[in-house]
Amino acid sequence: MLIDNEFTVAQPVEKVWEFFGNIPQVAQCLPGARLDEELGEDSYKGKVGVSMGPVKMQFDGLAKVLQRDEATKTMVIDGAGSDEKGRGNATLLLTAKLAPAAQGTKVSMQQDIQLSGAAAQYGRGMISDVSAVLMAQFATNMQARIAAIESGADLSTLGAAKSASGFAIGLQALRMALMRVARRFFAPYQPTAR
């Protein structure tokens, strides 16, 4: 399934692109992600933990940067992982594209996600909502980390992003789903301009 997310970072494109070039720094901003080992040739080994309602999964996996295009500020990353308890697998093809925005840099992320096992029981809407929540947290963490780098602060005080809380993500995703339903329900009743 294809999921698109966008967010803005209050930093110039060149600075955000430079940050994206450091995959260990990027991984520290993603809730629930941990980079364990750099394998060389832009390949990495790590873990990603995600909670979706009552299901909490911890994926061991590999990620590889397939493409870095300086001219278009586009990066493509391929990832695959298996749940530690054997309850499923996930693959991801992530395309990130940066563009100038009025308040810094617009980051567009397209995720082609394939799930099997326990995680596959959730519908596209729930997975899209969870992805949106995680990307919002990622954007906040990335902004804080870039600002800390700019100011020369000790990055060890920031640490890694906190694990993705299933309860908090579930509540936010539920709110997003309810808003989507309400928009569909009330759309036919909107007054039209005459």
Side-chain angles (χ1 to χ4, degrees):
M1 85 183 68
L2 285 177
I3 299 174
D4 293 310
N5 297 107
E6 283 187 356
F7 55 87
T8 302
V9 180
Q11 298 287 340
V13 172
E14 290 301 328
K15 193 146 306 277
V16 178
W17 180 250
E18 180 183 336
F19 184 81
F20 266 81
N22 185 332
I23 299 299
Q25 285 283 355
V26 172
Q28 294 235 331
C29 297
L30 186 61
R34 186 177 88 215
L35 197 64
D36 293 330
E37 187 179 350
E38 292 186 46
L39 303 173
E41 297 182 16
D42 253 348
S43 293
Y44 304 88
K45 181 178 179 181
K47 296 181 184 296
V48 176
V50 179
S51 297
M52 288 188 282
V55 177
K56 190 173 196 173
M57 302 185 82
Q58 182 80 19
F59 291 93
D60 287 321
L62 300 172
K64 179 171 180 56
V65 178
L66 299 179
Q67 176 187 349
R68 291 179 200 262
D69 188 334
E70 174 81 29
T72 63
K73 301 293 188 272
T74 303
M75 181 179 288
V76 179
I77 300 172
D78 181 48
S82 298
D83 178 62
E84 290 178 337
K85 295 181 180 174
R87 295 176 297 174
N89 298 306
T91 62
L92 166 76
L93 185 64
L94 172 74
T95 303
K97 185 170 177 61
L98 311 181
Q103 272 129 48
T105 302
K106 179 176 84 170
V107 180
S108 301
M109 297 247 194
Q110 183 181 70
Q111 303 166 70
D112 186 357
I113 301 172
Q114 304 299 317
L115 300 171
S116 65
Q121 70 182 319
Y122 292 95
R124 176 182 171 74
M126 179 65 156
I127 293 171
S128 293
D129 292 344
V130 168
S131 175
V133 171
L134 291 175
M135 286 299 105
Q137 291 175 2
F138 172 73
T140 300
N141 295 339
M142 185 171 67
Q143 179 65 51
R145 191 163 282 275
I146 291 173
I149 291 169
E150 285 283 296
S151 68
D154 180 10
L155 294 180
S156 65
T157 60
L158 289 177
K162 292 182 181 173
S163 183
S165 161
F167 183 70
I169 289 174
L171 281 178
Q172 290 177 354
L174 177 62
R175 191 184 105 237
M176 292 170 79
L178 289 173
M179 289 173 59
R180 217 177 19 256
V181 169
R183 277 194 300 268
R184 275 189 246 151
F185 178 76
F186 289 112
Y189 304 105
Q190 296 296 322
T192 56
R194 293 180 193 221

Short mmCIF file of all heavy atoms in Angstrom, two decimals, residues 23 26-37 44-52 55-64 77-85 87-92 94 111 113 115 119 130-131 134-135 137-138 160-165 169:
data_model
loop_
_atom_site.label_atom_id
_atom_site.label_comp_id
_atom_site.label_asym_id
_atom_site.label_seq_id
_atom_site.Cartn_x
_atom_site.Cartn_y
_atom_site.Cartn_z
N ILE A 23 22.41 8.89 8.15
CA ILE A 23 21.34 7.94 8.47
C ILE A 23 21.26 7.63 9.97
O ILE A 23 20.15 7.57 10.52
CB ILE A 23 21.48 6.64 7.64
CG1 ILE A 23 21.38 6.95 6.14
CG2 ILE A 23 20.44 5.60 8.06
CD1 ILE A 23 20.07 7.56 5.70
N VAL A 26 19.25 10.37 11.46
CA VAL A 26 17.85 10.27 11.03
C VAL A 26 17.14 9.18 11.85
O VAL A 26 16.02 9.39 12.34
CB VAL A 26 17.75 9.99 9.52
CG1 VAL A 26 16.31 9.69 9.10
CG2 VAL A 26 18.30 11.16 8.72
N ALA A 27 17.78 8.04 12.02
CA ALA A 27 17.18 6.92 12.77
C ALA A 27 16.89 7.32 14.22
O ALA A 27 15.89 6.88 14.79
CB ALA A 27 18.10 5.70 12.73
N GLN A 28 17.72 8.18 14.79
CA GLN A 28 17.50 8.62 16.17
C GLN A 28 16.23 9.45 16.31
O GLN A 28 15.71 9.60 17.41
CB GLN A 28 18.70 9.43 16.65
CG GLN A 28 19.96 8.62 16.75
CD GLN A 28 20.57 8.70 18.12
OE1 GLN A 28 20.43 9.68 18.82
NE2 GLN A 28 21.26 7.66 18.50
N CYS A 29 15.72 9.99 15.20
CA CYS A 29 14.52 10.83 15.24
C CYS A 29 13.23 10.04 15.04
O CYS A 29 12.14 10.56 15.30
CB CYS A 29 14.61 11.91 14.16
SG CYS A 29 15.97 13.05 14.41
N LEU A 30 13.32 8.81 14.56
CA LEU A 30 12.13 8.03 14.26
C LEU A 30 11.69 7.24 15.50
O LEU A 30 12.44 6.40 16.00
CB LEU A 30 12.41 7.06 13.10
CG LEU A 30 11.21 6.28 12.59
CD1 LEU A 30 10.13 7.22 12.06
CD2 LEU A 30 11.63 5.31 11.52
N PRO A 31 10.49 7.53 16.02
CA PRO A 31 10.03 6.82 17.23
C PRO A 31 10.06 5.30 17.05
O PRO A 31 9.58 4.78 16.05
CB PRO A 31 8.59 7.31 17.39
CG PRO A 31 8.55 8.62 16.69
CD PRO A 31 9.50 8.48 15.53
N GLY A 32 10.66 4.63 18.01
CA GLY A 32 10.70 3.17 18.00
C GLY A 32 11.83 2.57 17.19
O GLY A 32 11.98 1.35 17.16
N ALA A 33 12.63 3.41 16.52
CA ALA A 33 13.72 2.88 15.67
C ALA A 33 15.04 2.89 16.42
O ALA A 33 15.31 3.77 17.24
CB ALA A 33 13.84 3.70 14.39
N ARG A 34 15.85 1.90 16.14
CA ARG A 34 17.19 1.82 16.71
C ARG A 34 18.13 1.25 15.66
O ARG A 34 17.85 0.21 15.07
CB ARG A 34 17.16 0.92 17.94
CG ARG A 34 18.49 0.90 18.67
CD ARG A 34 18.44 0.06 19.91
NE ARG A 34 18.77 -1.33 19.54
CZ ARG A 34 18.24 -2.39 20.11
NH1 ARG A 34 17.34 -2.29 21.03
NH2 ARG A 34 18.62 -3.59 19.73
N LEU A 35 19.22 1.95 15.43
CA LEU A 35 20.23 1.48 14.48
C LEU A 35 21.30 0.74 15.25
O LEU A 35 21.90 1.28 16.18
CB LEU A 35 20.83 2.69 13.75
CG LEU A 35 21.59 2.43 12.49
CD1 LEU A 35 20.66 1.86 11.43
CD2 LEU A 35 22.19 3.73 11.97
N ASP A 36 21.51 -0.53 14.92
CA ASP A 36 22.46 -1.36 15.66
C ASP A 36 23.83 -1.44 15.00
O ASP A 36 24.84 -1.56 15.69
CB ASP A 36 21.91 -2.78 15.82
CG ASP A 36 20.69 -2.83 16.72
OD1 ASP A 36 20.58 -1.98 17.63
OD2 ASP A 36 19.83 -3.69 16.49
N GLU A 37 23.86 -1.40 13.67
CA GLU A 37 25.13 -1.65 13.00
C GLU A 37 25.13 -1.05 11.60
O GLU A 37 24.14 -1.15 10.87
CB GLU A 37 25.32 -3.17 12.89
CG GLU A 37 26.64 -3.62 12.37
CD GLU A 37 26.75 -5.15 12.34
OE1 GLU A 37 25.88 -5.86 12.89
OE2 GLU A 37 27.71 -5.62 11.71
N TYR A 44 22.34 -0.78 6.61
CA TYR A 44 22.26 -0.70 8.07
C TYR A 44 21.41 -1.82 8.62
O TYR A 44 20.48 -2.28 7.96
CB TYR A 44 21.65 0.65 8.48
CG TYR A 44 22.41 1.82 7.91
CD1 TYR A 44 22.09 2.32 6.64
CD2 TYR A 44 23.45 2.40 8.61
CE1 TYR A 44 22.80 3.37 6.10
CE2 TYR A 44 24.17 3.46 8.06
CZ TYR A 44 23.83 3.94 6.81
OH TYR A 44 24.54 4.97 6.26
N LYS A 45 21.73 -2.22 9.85
CA LYS A 45 20.96 -3.24 10.55
C LYS A 45 20.38 -2.57 11.79
O LYS A 45 21.06 -1.80 12.46
CB LYS A 45 21.88 -4.40 10.96
CG LYS A 45 21.19 -5.53 11.66
CD LYS A 45 22.21 -6.62 11.96
CE LYS A 45 21.54 -7.77 12.69
NZ LYS A 45 22.49 -8.82 13.02
N GLY A 46 19.10 -2.87 12.09
CA GLY A 46 18.50 -2.26 13.26
C GLY A 46 17.19 -2.88 13.64
O GLY A 46 16.82 -3.97 13.17
N LYS A 47 16.46 -2.16 14.50
CA LYS A 47 15.16 -2.61 14.99
C LYS A 47 14.17 -1.47 14.88
O LYS A 47 14.53 -0.31 15.02
CB LYS A 47 15.25 -3.04 16.45
CG LYS A 47 16.14 -4.24 16.71
CD LYS A 47 16.14 -4.59 18.20
CE LYS A 47 17.08 -5.72 18.52
NZ LYS A 47 16.76 -6.97 17.91
N VAL A 48 12.90 -1.82 14.67
CA VAL A 48 11.81 -0.85 14.68
C VAL A 48 10.68 -1.47 15.49
O VAL A 48 10.22 -2.57 15.18
CB VAL A 48 11.32 -0.50 13.26
CG1 VAL A 48 10.13 0.43 13.33
CG2 VAL A 48 12.44 0.11 12.43
N GLY A 49 10.26 -0.76 16.53
CA GLY A 49 9.15 -1.22 17.35
C GLY A 49 7.94 -0.34 17.11
O GLY A 49 8.05 0.88 17.12
N VAL A 50 6.79 -0.95 16.86
CA VAL A 50 5.56 -0.21 16.61
C VAL A 50 4.42 -0.88 17.37
O VAL A 50 4.33 -2.11 17.40
CB VAL A 50 5.21 -0.19 15.10
CG1 VAL A 50 3.91 0.54 14.87
CG2 VAL A 50 6.32 0.44 14.30
N SER A 51 3.57 -0.06 17.96
CA SER A 51 2.37 -0.56 18.62
C SER A 51 1.16 -0.06 17.85
O SER A 51 1.05 1.12 17.57
CB SER A 51 2.29 -0.05 20.06
OG SER A 51 3.37 -0.55 20.80
N MET A 52 0.27 -0.98 17.51
CA MET A 52 -0.99 -0.61 16.87
C MET A 52 -2.09 -1.25 17.69
O MET A 52 -2.34 -2.46 17.57
CB MET A 52 -1.04 -1.09 15.42
CG MET A 52 -0.12 -0.30 14.52
SD MET A 52 -0.32 -0.68 12.79
CE MET A 52 0.56 -2.21 12.66
N VAL A 55 -1.60 -4.78 19.57
CA VAL A 55 -0.49 -5.50 18.95
C VAL A 55 0.79 -4.65 19.03
O VAL A 55 0.83 -3.54 18.53
CB VAL A 55 -0.79 -5.85 17.47
CG1 VAL A 55 0.40 -6.53 16.83
CG2 VAL A 55 -2.02 -6.73 17.38
N LYS A 56 1.79 -5.21 19.68
CA LYS A 56 3.09 -4.55 19.79
C LYS A 56 4.09 -5.43 19.06
O LYS A 56 4.24 -6.61 19.40
CB LYS A 56 3.47 -4.38 21.25
CG LYS A 56 4.67 -3.52 21.48
CD LYS A 56 4.87 -3.29 22.96
CE LYS A 56 5.82 -2.14 23.16
NZ LYS A 56 5.91 -1.76 24.56
N MET A 57 4.72 -4.85 18.04
CA MET A 57 5.64 -5.66 17.24
C MET A 57 7.03 -5.03 17.25
O MET A 57 7.17 -3.80 17.24
CB MET A 57 5.11 -5.78 15.82
CG MET A 57 3.73 -6.42 15.77
SD MET A 57 3.15 -6.70 14.10
CE MET A 57 3.99 -8.24 13.77
N GLN A 58 8.04 -5.87 17.26
CA GLN A 58 9.44 -5.44 17.22
C GLN A 58 10.07 -6.13 16.01
O GLN A 58 10.18 -7.36 15.98
CB GLN A 58 10.15 -5.86 18.50
CG GLN A 58 11.59 -5.43 18.58
CD GLN A 58 11.76 -3.98 18.99
OE1 GLN A 58 10.86 -3.38 19.53
NE2 GLN A 58 12.91 -3.42 18.71
N PHE A 59 10.42 -5.33 15.00
CA PHE A 59 10.99 -5.88 13.78
C PHE A 59 12.51 -5.76 13.79
O PHE A 59 13.06 -4.69 14.07
CB PHE A 59 10.46 -5.13 12.55
CG PHE A 59 9.01 -5.37 12.28
CD1 PHE A 59 8.03 -4.54 12.80
CD2 PHE A 59 8.60 -6.45 11.50
CE1 PHE A 59 6.69 -4.76 12.54
CE2 PHE A 59 7.26 -6.68 11.24
CZ PHE A 59 6.30 -5.84 11.77
N ASP A 60 13.19 -6.87 13.51
CA ASP A 60 14.63 -6.86 13.22
C ASP A 60 14.75 -6.72 11.72
O ASP A 60 14.07 -7.45 10.98
CB ASP A 60 15.29 -8.18 13.63
CG ASP A 60 15.41 -8.32 15.13
OD1 ASP A 60 15.71 -7.32 15.80
OD2 ASP A 60 15.19 -9.44 15.64
N GLY A 61 15.58 -5.81 11.26
CA GLY A 61 15.62 -5.64 9.82
C GLY A 61 16.87 -5.00 9.28
O GLY A 61 17.80 -4.66 10.01
N LEU A 62 16.86 -4.85 7.97
CA LEU A 62 17.95 -4.24 7.22
C LEU A 62 17.38 -3.10 6.40
O LEU A 62 16.25 -3.17 5.92
CB LEU A 62 18.59 -5.26 6.29
CG LEU A 62 19.20 -6.50 6.93
CD1 LEU A 62 19.63 -7.50 5.86
CD2 LEU A 62 20.40 -6.11 7.79
N ALA A 63 18.18 -2.06 6.24
CA ALA A 63 17.80 -0.93 5.39
C ALA A 63 18.99 -0.57 4.52
O ALA A 63 20.14 -0.66 4.96
CB ALA A 63 17.37 0.27 6.23
N LYS A 64 18.70 -0.18 3.30
CA LYS A 64 19.76 0.21 2.37
C LYS A 64 19.31 1.46 1.60
O LYS A 64 18.19 1.51 1.10
CB LYS A 64 20.07 -0.91 1.38
CG LYS A 64 21.16 -0.54 0.37
CD LYS A 64 21.59 -1.74 -0.44
CE LYS A 64 22.67 -1.40 -1.44
NZ LYS A 64 23.87 -0.77 -0.90
N ILE A 77 15.07 4.67 0.05
CA ILE A 77 15.57 3.68 1.01
C ILE A 77 14.69 2.44 0.94
O ILE A 77 13.46 2.52 0.91
CB ILE A 77 15.54 4.25 2.45
CG1 ILE A 77 16.42 5.50 2.53
CG2 ILE A 77 15.99 3.19 3.46
CD1 ILE A 77 16.33 6.25 3.84
N ASP A 78 15.35 1.28 0.90
CA ASP A 78 14.67 -0.01 0.88
C ASP A 78 14.88 -0.66 2.24
O ASP A 78 15.99 -0.71 2.75
CB ASP A 78 15.27 -0.89 -0.23
CG ASP A 78 14.58 -2.23 -0.33
OD1 ASP A 78 13.35 -2.26 -0.33
OD2 ASP A 78 15.30 -3.25 -0.39
N GLY A 79 13.80 -1.15 2.85
CA GLY A 79 13.92 -1.80 4.15
C GLY A 79 13.06 -3.05 4.22
O GLY A 79 12.04 -3.16 3.54
N ALA A 80 13.48 -3.98 5.05
CA ALA A 80 12.72 -5.21 5.26
C ALA A 80 13.03 -5.72 6.65
O ALA A 80 14.15 -5.59 7.14
CB ALA A 80 13.09 -6.27 4.22
N GLY A 81 11.99 -6.28 7.30
CA GLY A 81 12.20 -6.79 8.64
C GLY A 81 11.21 -7.89 8.98
O GLY A 81 10.17 -8.03 8.35
N SER A 82 11.56 -8.64 10.01
CA SER A 82 10.71 -9.71 10.52
C SER A 82 10.49 -9.48 12.00
O SER A 82 11.41 -9.11 12.73
CB SER A 82 11.38 -11.07 10.35
OG SER A 82 11.58 -11.34 8.99
N ASP A 83 9.26 -9.71 12.45
CA ASP A 83 8.95 -9.58 13.87
C ASP A 83 9.76 -10.60 14.66
O ASP A 83 9.90 -11.76 14.24
CB ASP A 83 7.44 -9.80 14.09
CG ASP A 83 7.08 -9.73 15.56
OD1 ASP A 83 7.28 -8.67 16.17
OD2 ASP A 83 6.60 -10.75 16.09
N GLU A 84 10.29 -10.16 15.80
CA GLU A 84 11.12 -11.03 16.62
C GLU A 84 10.41 -12.30 17.06
O GLU A 84 11.03 -13.33 17.28
CB GLU A 84 11.59 -10.28 17.88
CG GLU A 84 12.60 -9.20 17.59
CD GLU A 84 13.01 -8.44 18.85
OE1 GLU A 84 12.24 -8.44 19.84
OE2 GLU A 84 14.09 -7.85 18.84
N LYS A 85 9.08 -12.24 17.22
CA LYS A 85 8.32 -13.40 17.68
C LYS A 85 7.71 -14.18 16.53
O LYS A 85 6.86 -15.05 16.74
CB LYS A 85 7.22 -12.94 18.65
CG LYS A 85 7.79 -12.33 19.91
CD LYS A 85 6.70 -11.90 20.86
CE LYS A 85 7.34 -11.31 22.11
NZ LYS A 85 6.33 -10.76 23.01
N ARG A 87 5.66 -13.18 14.15
CA ARG A 87 4.26 -12.89 13.87
C ARG A 87 4.03 -12.13 12.58
O ARG A 87 2.90 -11.79 12.26
CB ARG A 87 3.65 -12.10 15.03
CG ARG A 87 3.61 -12.88 16.32
CD ARG A 87 3.10 -12.04 17.44
NE ARG A 87 4.05 -10.93 17.63
CZ ARG A 87 3.85 -9.92 18.46
NH1 ARG A 87 2.75 -9.86 19.18
NH2 ARG A 87 4.75 -8.99 18.59
N GLY A 88 5.10 -11.87 11.83
CA GLY A 88 4.87 -11.17 10.57
C GLY A 88 6.14 -10.56 10.01
O GLY A 88 7.20 -10.56 10.64
N ASN A 89 5.99 -10.05 8.80
CA ASN A 89 7.09 -9.42 8.08
C ASN A 89 6.62 -8.08 7.52
O ASN A 89 5.42 -7.87 7.31
CB ASN A 89 7.56 -10.30 6.91
CG ASN A 89 8.08 -11.63 7.39
OD1 ASN A 89 8.96 -11.70 8.23
ND2 ASN A 89 7.52 -12.70 6.87
N ALA A 90 7.57 -7.21 7.26
CA ALA A 90 7.25 -5.91 6.66
C ALA A 90 8.35 -5.55 5.67
O ALA A 90 9.53 -5.84 5.90
CB ALA A 90 7.15 -4.84 7.73
N THR A 91 7.95 -4.98 4.55
CA THR A 91 8.91 -4.39 3.62
C THR A 91 8.48 -2.95 3.38
O THR A 91 7.29 -2.61 3.47
CB THR A 91 8.97 -5.14 2.27
OG1 THR A 91 7.71 -5.08 1.63
CG2 THR A 91 9.40 -6.59 2.47
N LEU A 92 9.45 -2.12 3.07
CA LEU A 92 9.20 -0.70 2.89
C LEU A 92 10.12 -0.17 1.80
O LEU A 92 11.32 -0.45 1.80
CB LEU A 92 9.49 0.05 4.19
CG LEU A 92 9.59 1.57 4.11
CD1 LEU A 92 8.21 2.18 3.97
CD2 LEU A 92 10.27 2.11 5.36
N LEU A 94 10.86 3.56 0.75
CA LEU A 94 10.61 4.93 1.17
C LEU A 94 11.29 5.90 0.21
O LEU A 94 12.49 5.77 -0.05
CB LEU A 94 11.14 5.16 2.58
CG LEU A 94 11.13 6.60 3.09
CD1 LEU A 94 9.71 7.02 3.43
CD2 LEU A 94 12.04 6.74 4.29
N GLN A 111 5.67 6.14 1.15
CA GLN A 111 6.03 4.84 1.70
C GLN A 111 5.22 3.76 0.99
O GLN A 111 4.00 3.81 1.01
CB GLN A 111 5.71 4.80 3.19
CG GLN A 111 6.40 5.88 3.98
CD GLN A 111 5.79 6.02 5.36
OE1 GLN A 111 5.97 5.13 6.20
NE2 GLN A 111 5.08 7.09 5.60
N ILE A 113 4.43 0.22 1.57
CA ILE A 113 4.53 -0.72 2.68
C ILE A 113 3.80 -2.02 2.34
O ILE A 113 2.66 -1.98 1.88
CB ILE A 113 3.92 -0.12 3.97
CG1 ILE A 113 4.63 1.18 4.34
CG2 ILE A 113 3.97 -1.11 5.12
CD1 ILE A 113 3.96 1.94 5.47
N LEU A 115 2.80 -5.60 4.32
CA LEU A 115 2.78 -6.26 5.62
C LEU A 115 2.20 -7.67 5.50
O LEU A 115 1.31 -7.91 4.68
CB LEU A 115 1.90 -5.46 6.60
CG LEU A 115 2.31 -4.03 6.88
CD1 LEU A 115 1.23 -3.32 7.67
CD2 LEU A 115 3.63 -3.98 7.63
N ALA A 119 0.36 -7.63 11.75
CA ALA A 119 0.20 -6.23 11.36
C ALA A 119 -0.71 -6.07 10.15
O ALA A 119 -1.33 -5.02 9.97
CB ALA A 119 1.56 -5.61 11.07
N VAL A 130 -1.57 5.81 11.65
CA VAL A 130 -0.39 5.54 12.49
C VAL A 130 0.85 6.13 11.83
O VAL A 130 1.69 6.76 12.49
CB VAL A 130 -0.23 4.02 12.75
CG1 VAL A 130 1.13 3.70 13.36
CG2 VAL A 130 -1.34 3.51 13.65
N SER A 131 0.97 5.97 10.51
CA SER A 131 2.10 6.53 9.78
C SER A 131 2.13 8.05 9.92
O SER A 131 3.20 8.64 10.13
CB SER A 131 2.02 6.13 8.30
OG SER A 131 3.03 6.76 7.57
N LEU A 134 3.38 8.96 13.40
CA LEU A 134 4.83 8.73 13.51
C LEU A 134 5.63 9.78 12.74
O LEU A 134 6.67 10.25 13.21
CB LEU A 134 5.19 7.32 13.02
CG LEU A 134 4.71 6.17 13.89
CD1 LEU A 134 5.03 4.84 13.23
CD2 LEU A 134 5.33 6.23 15.28
N MET A 135 5.15 10.17 11.55
CA MET A 135 5.85 11.18 10.76
C MET A 135 5.81 12.55 11.45
O MET A 135 6.79 13.30 11.40
CB MET A 135 5.28 11.29 9.35
CG MET A 135 5.65 10.13 8.43
SD MET A 135 7.43 9.96 8.15
CE MET A 135 7.82 8.54 9.16
N GLN A 137 5.75 12.99 14.73
CA GLN A 137 6.73 12.88 15.81
C GLN A 137 8.15 12.94 15.26
O GLN A 137 9.03 13.58 15.85
CB GLN A 137 6.51 11.58 16.59
CG GLN A 137 5.24 11.57 17.40
CD GLN A 137 4.99 10.22 18.07
OE1 GLN A 137 5.78 9.28 17.98
NE2 GLN A 137 3.86 10.12 18.75
N PHE A 138 8.37 12.28 14.12
CA PHE A 138 9.68 12.31 13.46
C PHE A 138 10.06 13.75 13.11
O PHE A 138 11.19 14.18 13.35
CB PHE A 138 9.63 11.44 12.21
CG PHE A 138 10.85 11.54 11.34
CD1 PHE A 138 12.04 10.95 11.71
CD2 PHE A 138 10.81 12.22 10.13
CE1 PHE A 138 13.17 11.03 10.91
CE2 PHE A 138 11.92 12.30 9.32
CZ PHE A 138 13.11 11.71 9.71
N ALA A 160 17.87 9.02 21.81
CA ALA A 160 17.05 8.54 20.70
C ALA A 160 15.60 8.90 20.95
O ALA A 160 15.20 9.17 22.08
CB ALA A 160 17.21 7.03 20.54
N ALA A 161 14.83 8.90 19.89
CA ALA A 161 13.40 9.17 20.02
C ALA A 161 12.77 8.10 20.89
O ALA A 161 13.14 6.93 20.82
CB ALA A 161 12.74 9.19 18.64
N LYS A 162 11.82 8.50 21.70
CA LYS A 162 11.13 7.53 22.56
C LYS A 162 10.36 6.55 21.70
O LYS A 162 9.92 6.86 20.61
CB LYS A 162 10.18 8.26 23.50
CG LYS A 162 10.91 9.08 24.53
CD LYS A 162 9.94 9.74 25.46
CE LYS A 162 10.71 10.56 26.47
NZ LYS A 162 9.85 11.36 27.31
N SER A 163 10.21 5.36 22.24
CA SER A 163 9.46 4.33 21.53
C SER A 163 8.04 4.79 21.26
O SER A 163 7.47 5.55 22.02
CB SER A 163 9.45 3.05 22.37
OG SER A 163 8.79 2.04 21.67
N ALA A 164 7.52 4.33 20.17
CA ALA A 164 6.18 4.71 19.76
C ALA A 164 5.16 4.07 20.70
O ALA A 164 5.03 2.87 20.75
CB ALA A 164 5.94 4.26 18.33
N SER A 165 4.47 4.90 21.48
CA SER A 165 3.50 4.42 22.46
C SER A 165 2.22 3.98 21.76
O SER A 165 1.58 4.78 21.07
CB SER A 165 3.19 5.53 23.46
OG SER A 165 1.97 5.28 24.12
N ILE A 169 -0.52 6.61 20.16
CA ILE A 169 -0.71 6.49 18.71
C ILE A 169 -2.14 6.05 18.41
O ILE A 169 -2.79 6.59 17.53
CB ILE A 169 0.30 5.51 18.10
CG1 ILE A 169 1.69 6.14 18.11
CG2 ILE A 169 -0.08 5.14 16.67
CD1 ILE A 169 2.78 5.21 17.68
#
